[in-house]
């Protein structure tokens, strides 16, 4: 018998357009970056704002926690990376990282590395133990690089998604891609890894209104998730639940079975276009970044 999933207990925090969201691994905090140039930490238990950082006059499209250091790292349209101590709110580092908008930051789970992806078509690797030295530049995409994700099984590998329509897989020690995956009809907005039954997959979201599942070993597309009526801007696989979640500029979230990839549930949000989705480990909670703020929901079955 198939399991039905749905969203409950929605909490909404209204704001300007939210571009990225992330849960803190131990505190009841959500890190939110806004199109207005502000970043804030929101406590979802007390439903209050804990910290606010006015970063820039331009949009901040990506903000991430670095919990081991007590830092927040942000990338903005002025091409700068800024690092803040989230205890004192002190800015501890600021540098120009790219020649164009920074679309994504990705923090390595175990090593002192951060990837940045930009509209200059370049990805860079930064080492905070070497005073944020750029230790590698990755070139090969021919359009904006929208997303990067570290491989959870290989600490030296990562994937990237670009508006050139491809996913590329890289080794941190080489400036050229190892593999290129090409299957979407338009540009890509999102890529991430997930595993099921000890098999590693990639999940991508595209302006062709679809998401695709890729076999990491076979390097082939094994499933296309169709149904959205606009660009697929965010994808997420919840580690506690057997579901894939996709979000779109059509203002819907869709939940798919992570084994057979059948559609399970569609939620029409009333908060505008969807820009990012994040899950919380150890719970059934997800947070969604939208035009009109963020929404925190529980997935129940």
């Amino acid at each position: 018998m198939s399991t039905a999933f749905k969203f409950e207990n929605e909490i909404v925090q209204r704001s300007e357009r939210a571009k990225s969201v992330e849960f803190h691994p131990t505190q009841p905090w959500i890190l939110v970056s806004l199109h207005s140039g502000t970043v804030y930490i929101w406590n979802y238990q007390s439903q209050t704002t804990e910290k606010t950082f006015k970063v820039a006059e331009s949009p901040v499209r990506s903000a991430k926690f670095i919990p081991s250091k007590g830092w927040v790292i942000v990338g903005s349209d002025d091409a700068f990376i800024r690092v803040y101590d989230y205890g004192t709110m002190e800015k501890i580092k600021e540098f120009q990282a790219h020649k164009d908008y920074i679309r994504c930051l990705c923090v390595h789970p175990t090593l002192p590395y951060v990837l940045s992806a930009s509209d200059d078509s370049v990805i860079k690797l930064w080492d905070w133990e070497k005073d944020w030295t750029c230790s590698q530049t990755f070139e090969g995409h021919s359009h904006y690089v929208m997303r990067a994700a570290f491989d959870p099984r290989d600490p030296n590998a990562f994937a990237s998604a670009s508006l050139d329509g491809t996913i590329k897989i890289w080794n941190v020690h080489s400036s050229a891609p190892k593999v290129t995956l090409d299957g979407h009809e338009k540009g890509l907005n999102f890529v991430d890894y997930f595993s099921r039954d000890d098999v590693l997959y990639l999940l991508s979201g595209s302006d062709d209104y679809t998401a695709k599942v890729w076999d990491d070993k076979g390097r082939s597309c094994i499933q296309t998730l169709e149904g959205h009526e606009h660009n697929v801007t965010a994808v997420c696989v919840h580690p506690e639940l057997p579901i894939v979640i996709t979000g779109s500029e059509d203002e819907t979230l869709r939940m798919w079975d992570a084994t057979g990839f059948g559609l399970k549930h569609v939620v029409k949000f009333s908060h505008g276009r969807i820009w990012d989705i994040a899950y919380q480990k150890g719970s059934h909670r997800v947070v969604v970044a939208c035009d009109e703020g963020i929404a925190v929901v529980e997935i129940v079955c």
Side-chain angles (χ1 to χ4, degrees):
M1 178 184 290
S2 63
T3 304
F5 295 95
K6 60 182 180 178
F7 293 125
E8 285 189 354
N9 305 321
E10 181 182 358
I11 303 168
V12 177
Q13 167 71 359
R14 299 283 181 185
S15 69
E16 303 96 341
R17 185 190 308 170
K19 296 301 295 181
S20 75
V21 283
E22 184 183 42
F23 282 100
H24 191 279
T26 57
Q27 299 291 336
W29 295 347
I30 297 169
L31 179 63
V32 185
S33 75
L34 301 179
H35 198 264
S36 62
T38 296
V39 171
Y40 69 93
I41 297 173
W42 193 65
N43 186 315
Y44 58 82
Q45 287 183 350
S46 64
Q47 297 185 37
T48 57
T49 300
E50 297 264 349
K51 311 274 185 180
T52 300
F53 308 86
K54 179 60 177 177
V55 173
E57 296 304 318
S58 56
V60 179
R61 299 181 190 273
S62 188
K64 298 291 183 183
F65 285 117
I66 304 180
S68 63
K69 308 296 289 186
W71 293 342
V72 166
I73 183 169
V74 302
S76 52
D77 280 9
D78 62 7
F80 275 75
I81 288 175
R82 296 172 177 90
V83 185
Y84 298 86
D85 182 311
Y86 59 65
T88 65
M89 296 180 65
E90 176 189 4
K91 186 194 297 179
I92 59 176
K93 191 70 177 179
E94 177 180 42
F95 56 95
Q96 184 170 348
H98 288 272
K99 296 177 181 177
D100 209 334
Y101 297 174
I102 296 172
R103 293 281 175 174
C104 171
L105 298 172
C106 182
V107 180
H108 197 285
T110 57
L111 297 171
Y113 296 159
V114 174
L115 289 169
S116 60
S118 170
D119 283 7
D120 63 11
S121 305
V122 172
I123 307 160
K124 293 184 179 182
L125 182 72
W126 309 91
D127 187 333
W128 70 70
E129 286 191 350
K130 297 179 180 176
D131 194 30
W132 295 97
T133 299
C134 179
S135 54
Q136 190 66 263
T137 298
F138 307 94
E139 299 185 71
H141 282 298
S142 58
H143 207 319
Y144 305 164
V145 186
M146 302 297 284
R147 201 80 180 183
F150 281 110
D151 185 327
R153 298 188 181 181
D154 181 350
N156 294 315
F158 70 93
S160 60
S162 168
L163 289 189
D164 66 12
T166 69
I167 298 168
K168 293 185 185 291
I169 298 172
W170 313 75
N171 184 289
V172 296
H173 302 298
S174 173
S175 61
K178 294 193 303 178
V179 176
T180 297
L181 303 178
D182 188 353
H184 282 285
E185 295 178 6
K186 291 188 177 179
L188 276 68
N189 298 305
F190 215 102
V191 68
D192 204 0
Y193 287 91
F194 74 101
S195 59
R196 281 289 178 269
D197 301 322
D198 208 36
V199 178
L200 191 64
Y201 299 95
L202 283 161
L203 182 63
S204 57
S206 169
D207 286 349
D208 65 11
Y209 301 2
T210 74
K212 288 183 183 289
V213 182
W214 307 80
D215 178 351
D216 182 61
K217 284 193 170 61
R219 313 298 197 195
S220 59
C221 176
I222 62 168
Q223 190 73 41
T224 299
L225 309 182
E226 297 180 290
H228 280 294
E229 297 174 358
H230 211 303
N231 303 337
V232 178
T233 48
V235 297
C236 170
V237 179
H238 201 295
E240 315 295 331
L241 295 165
I243 57 169
V244 174
I245 307 170
T246 56
S248 168
E249 290 184 51
D250 66 11
E251 304 184 16
T252 69
L253 281 179
R254 291 172 182 257
M255 289 194 288
W256 317 75
D257 179 76
T259 304
F261 303 108
L263 181 63
K264 292 295 184 183
H265 192 50
V266 180
V267 178
K268 177 72 172 180
F269 265 36
S270 57
H271 316 308
R273 296 167 296 178
I274 293 166
W275 299 109
D276 196 16
I277 308 166
Y279 61 77
Q280 184 183 39
K281 290 181 180 177
S283 83
H284 292 182
R285 192 178 286 119
V286 298
V287 59
V288 184
C290 310
D291 275 340
E292 298 174 11
I294 66 169
V296 184
V297 293
E298 303 271 353
I299 303 171
V300 296
C301 57

